[in-house]
């Protein structure tokens, strides 16, 4: 099935640095979601975006829904050790029974 | 907040065994539940969509006789891996969608299945 392209695939950064990752699609989505997954656990929702152009923050996290509805980015400011994990974007065409299309993931590692 | 419980969290069993994984929505009614499979260092791959009271819809390439899904109530869906073999070893994750809600899917914590 379709997958969204996420970049970068992995990041190694020092604590305190800002992080930026993005997600692109060949088709339009009406909702973009960003999840974080830690080892051995299920994904946890970080931010949900419902309108093209929308910019939403959740603490140190900021995400934007691209104007074309084919992309989204996630920024993390002043990274801390607990930010380590895999970040997935996911697109949704419509709420209801619609299934999520997941991105390929960005693995974030924090260097002490 | 909405909580989805998955059980067991880890299971190790012999080849040929059938394994049942439960997914429960603890504080809401889930009209739809989804089952995903995740290989190491890979993204989540949707296996099937399960609607309460009806047959599950399987994604292309997923064997419905191998992965039996039952969604008998609004709070419980089960995935049974029948006659499991080592190649079925994986991380299985469920999610639940609350009926009449605009909330995104809520995910369980996954089940690590290891077939010896």
């Amino acid at each position: 099935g379709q997958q969204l392209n996420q970049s970068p695939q992995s990041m190694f950064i020092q604590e305190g640095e800002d992080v930026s990752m993005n997600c692109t699609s060949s088709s339009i989505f009406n909702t973009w979601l960003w999840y974080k997954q830690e080892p051995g656990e299920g994904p946890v929702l970080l931010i949900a975006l419902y309108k093209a152009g929308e910019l939403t923050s959740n603490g140190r996290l900021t995400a934007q829904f691209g104007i074309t509805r084919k992309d989204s980015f996630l920024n993390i400011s002043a990274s801390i050790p607990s930010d380590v994990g895999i970040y997935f974007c996911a697109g949704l065409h419509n709420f209801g029974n619609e299934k999520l299309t997941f991105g390929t993931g960005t693995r974030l590692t924090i260097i002490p | 907040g909405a909580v989805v419980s998955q059980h067991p969290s880890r299971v190790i069993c012999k080849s040929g065994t059938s394994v049942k994984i439960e997914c429960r929505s603890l504080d809401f009614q889930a009209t739809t539940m989804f089952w995903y499979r995740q290989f190491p260092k890979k993204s989540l791959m949707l296996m099937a969509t399960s609607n309460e009271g009806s047959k599950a819809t399987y994604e292309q390439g997923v064997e419905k006789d191998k992965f039996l899904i039952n969604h008998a109530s609004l709070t419980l869906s089960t995935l049974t891996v029948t006659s499991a073999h080592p190649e079925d070893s994986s991380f299985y994750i469920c999610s639940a969608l609350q009926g009449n809600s605009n909330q995104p899917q809520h995910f369980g914590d996954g089940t690590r299945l290891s077939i010896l």
Side-chain angles (χ1 to χ4, degrees):
Chain A
Q2 180 190 12
Q3 271 197 328
L4 305 176
N5 293 314
Q6 259 182 267
S7 66
Q9 186 176 1
S10 61
M11 303 181 75
F12 294 83
I13 62 165
Q14 290 200 314
E15 184 178 347
E17 286 185 15
D18 296 342
V19 172
S20 184
M21 60 189 80
N22 65 43
C23 189
T24 59
S25 168
S26 57
S27 61
I28 288 172
F29 288 97
N30 292 319
T31 299
W32 284 88
L33 306 168
W34 283 94
Y35 289 89
K36 179 187 176 189
Q37 186 181 29
E38 298 191 21
E41 297 183 8
V44 173
L45 181 67
L46 300 174
I47 292 181
L49 302 159
Y50 302 105
K51 281 190 206 175
E54 179 181 353
L55 184 72
T56 297
S57 293
N58 178 8
R60 293 178 295 107
L61 277 60
T62 302
Q64 184 157 31
F65 190 147
I67 286 289
T68 63
R69 292 192 284 161
K70 291 184 178 181
D71 62 341
S72 177
F73 73 73
L74 174 71
N75 286 344
I76 306 173
S77 63
S79 59
I80 59 178
S82 61
D83 290 334
V84 165
I86 304 176
Y87 291 79
F88 290 103
C89 63
L92 190 64
H93 289 292
N94 288 299
F95 273 116
N97 293 339
E98 190 64 43
K99 56 192 181 187
L100 288 175
T101 301
F102 273 89
T104 48
T106 294
R107 181 180 296 271
L108 178 62
T109 303
I110 309 279
I111 304 166
Chain B
V3 177
V4 174
S5 173
Q6 210 173 318
H7 180 79
S9 58
R10 188 177 187 102
V11 58
I12 302 171
C13 57
K14 292 181 180 178
S15 187
T17 308
S18 291
V19 179
K20 181 187 281 188
I21 302 170
E22 293 185 347
C23 181
R24 292 181 186 274
S25 55
L26 295 186
D27 52 358
F28 65 97
Q29 292 188 327
T31 50
T32 305
M33 288 184 171
F34 302 87
W35 287 95
Y36 296 85
R37 183 172 181 177
Q38 187 176 30
F39 291 104
K41 299 188 179 180
K42 296 292 184 183
S43 187
L44 282 74
M45 187 176 68
L46 181 67
M47 298 173 67
T49 302
S50 165
N51 290 299
E52 185 266 336
S54 62
K55 287 185 180 178
T57 303
Y58 289 81
E59 294 299 300
Q60 192 173 7
V62 178
E63 297 177 60
K64 59 183 178 184
D65 294 331
K66 174 75 172 175
F67 299 100
L68 298 178
I69 291 171
N70 183 282
H71 192 163
S73 78
L74 284 171
T75 59
L76 174 64
S77 176
T78 60
L79 167 69
T80 301
V81 184
T82 61
S83 187
H85 291 285
E87 59 266 27
D88 298 322
S89 299
S90 194
F91 193 53
Y92 292 88
I93 309 172
C94 73
S95 70
L97 194 60
Q98 187 172 359
N100 299 319
S101 165
N102 286 330
Q103 294 298 310
Q105 297 171 28
H106 303 282
F107 284 84
D109 272 341
T111 296
R112 171 77 56 196
L113 176 62
S114 301
I115 308 297
L116 305 177

